[in-house]
Amino acid sequence: MLSNSTLLIFCGICMNIFFSANNLQAAEVLRTDPPRFGNIDLHPGGDVIRIDARNGVAGAQSIHPTNRSIITGSRSGLLRIISDTNAEEHVDIVFQNSILLTGPGSTINMRDIDTYSQYSSGGVDIPAGGYADISIGGEIVLTGEESNGQYSGNLAITLHFQ
Amino acid sequence: MAFKQDNPFQGGKMKLNGRNFHSRYLAGTLAAGIICCFAVTALARDQDLTLNVDLDITSTADATAFRNLDFGVIDLDPAGDDFEIDSSAGDAVSTKTSAGTSILSSTGNAGIIRVVGNTAFNITVTYPTSVTLSGLGSPVNVISIASLSQAPDSGAGLNHTAGGTTDIHVGGEIQLSGDEDGTYSGTMAVTVHFN
């Protein structure tokens, strides 16, 4: 019959392996930068302004052929995920597809976030001991009636590490 | 450390430091522990993030009433006369359009709506059909405003250059019966459309 002390020793070994194994899933988010549409001198007839980050870092642009609004200080958002293990780790990314930005007297809809962000379909592999940058975009529709001022809102993102 | 001759993986007994223990239990526990550990390493995990998104809107497009429409000072023929300011092509002054003997001692000026903005856009204006001016005598109506002003909304409008200033000139016509006297004034409401 196995002694009690020996049984405890094996349980202890198992638990140590358990904690070590859990530490192998060590990919983590090192940096988060939200997407910024910057300062918009809005065309009085309205505009649609897009950050197309499907291929990486991007700024905001009017989709109108003549770029009718003047935009400064914009940039796509960024998630940097690092891994300090010796194994590649896969991450699926789920973006909240639309959010409301509230400001002086009105709201602005930011939409198609997953459409204009990187790796929203299929996820990304974090190389062993390396990192991956995920750029975040989206689009806002402006009527031209918006009051001057700052608009803001919260964007939720879920990472599925596998 | 002393061991008996039995093979530990065939259910024999082992003695370690003077203690006996059964190898079948040892193998089973070790296997269970290994299975448990490999099962643990296969679990996925989720992480939720919240990012704050913001933007600033500072639209510089703006329209102001820069100059009033002024038909001038009229020494009026007692039989009456008609006057107009035709600013459909730009700035203009008051002119007599009828055959009476009235004299314009001051020719007045067209009104101006001044538009500014850093972006380029087209401008049209919705003018009222008429405006009533009140004074000491009978009221005076200003008519034909849209046809005698720039950028009426029935037309192509004016194009504003990015960063520039665009003046939209406003005119009209008055038909005086001869009963009018003194200073007349009124308010004209227009709607400027940025396109």
Side-chain angles (χ1 to χ4, degrees), chain A residues 18 21 25 27 153 155 157 160, chain B residues 40-41 43 45-46 49 51 53:
Chain A
F18 168 81
Q25 297 179 317
L155 168 61
I157 301 172
H160 297 295
Chain B
V40 167
T41 58
L43 289 176
R45 63 187 175 92
D46 292 349
L49 303 171
L51 280 63
V53 181

Side-chain angles (χ1 to χ4, degrees), chain A residues 10 18 21 25 27 34 36 38-44 68 70 148-149 151-155 157-161, chain B residues 26 37 40-41 43-49 51-60 118-121 194-195:
Chain A
F10 276 109
F18 168 81
Q25 297 179 317
R36 296 201 184 280
N39 184 281
I40 302 171
D41 190 338
L42 178 60
H43 189 284
R68 55 201 233 162
I70 299 173
N148 287 352
Y151 295 74
S152 65
N154 289 328
L155 168 61
I157 301 172
T158 299
L159 306 177
H160 297 295
F161 294 92
Chain B
L26 170 64
C37 293
V40 167
T41 58
L43 289 176
R45 63 187 175 92
D46 292 349
Q47 183 173 353
D48 293 325
L49 303 171
L51 280 63
N52 182 262
V53 181
D54 62 26
L55 61 94
D56 269 302
I57 291 181
T58 53
S59 178
T60 55
N118 290 338
T119 56
F121 45 85
F194 303 103
N195 308 304

Side-chain angles (χ1 to χ4, degrees), chain B residues 72-186:
Chain B
V73 178
I74 301 169
D75 187 350
L76 184 60
D77 183 332
D81 254 323
D82 299 338
F83 299 86
E84 75 172 23
I85 297 177
D86 184 358
S87 59
S88 57
D91 205 359
V93 296
S94 182
T95 58
K96 183 165 65 71
T97 57
S98 56
T101 59
S102 300
I103 298 170
L104 275 164
S105 58
S106 165
T107 55
N109 49 255
I112 292 178
I113 300 167
R114 176 157 286 179
V115 175
V116 297
N118 290 338
T119 56
F121 45 85
N122 177 265
I123 308 164
T124 56
V125 182
T126 300
Y127 295 101
T129 303
S130 66
V131 172
T132 301
L133 307 181
S134 301
L136 293 177
S138 304
V140 174
N141 284 326
V142 181
I143 59 175
S144 304
I145 301 169
S147 61
L148 296 175
S149 301
Q150 282 186 301
D153 53 13
S154 59
L158 286 179
N159 290 325
H160 173 77
T161 302
T165 299
T166 302
D167 284 345
I168 302 168
H169 296 89
V170 181
E173 178 185 358
I174 54 175
Q175 298 172 335
L176 303 178
S177 63
D179 294 336
E180 298 81 3
D181 187 24
T183 301
Y184 284 76
S185 66

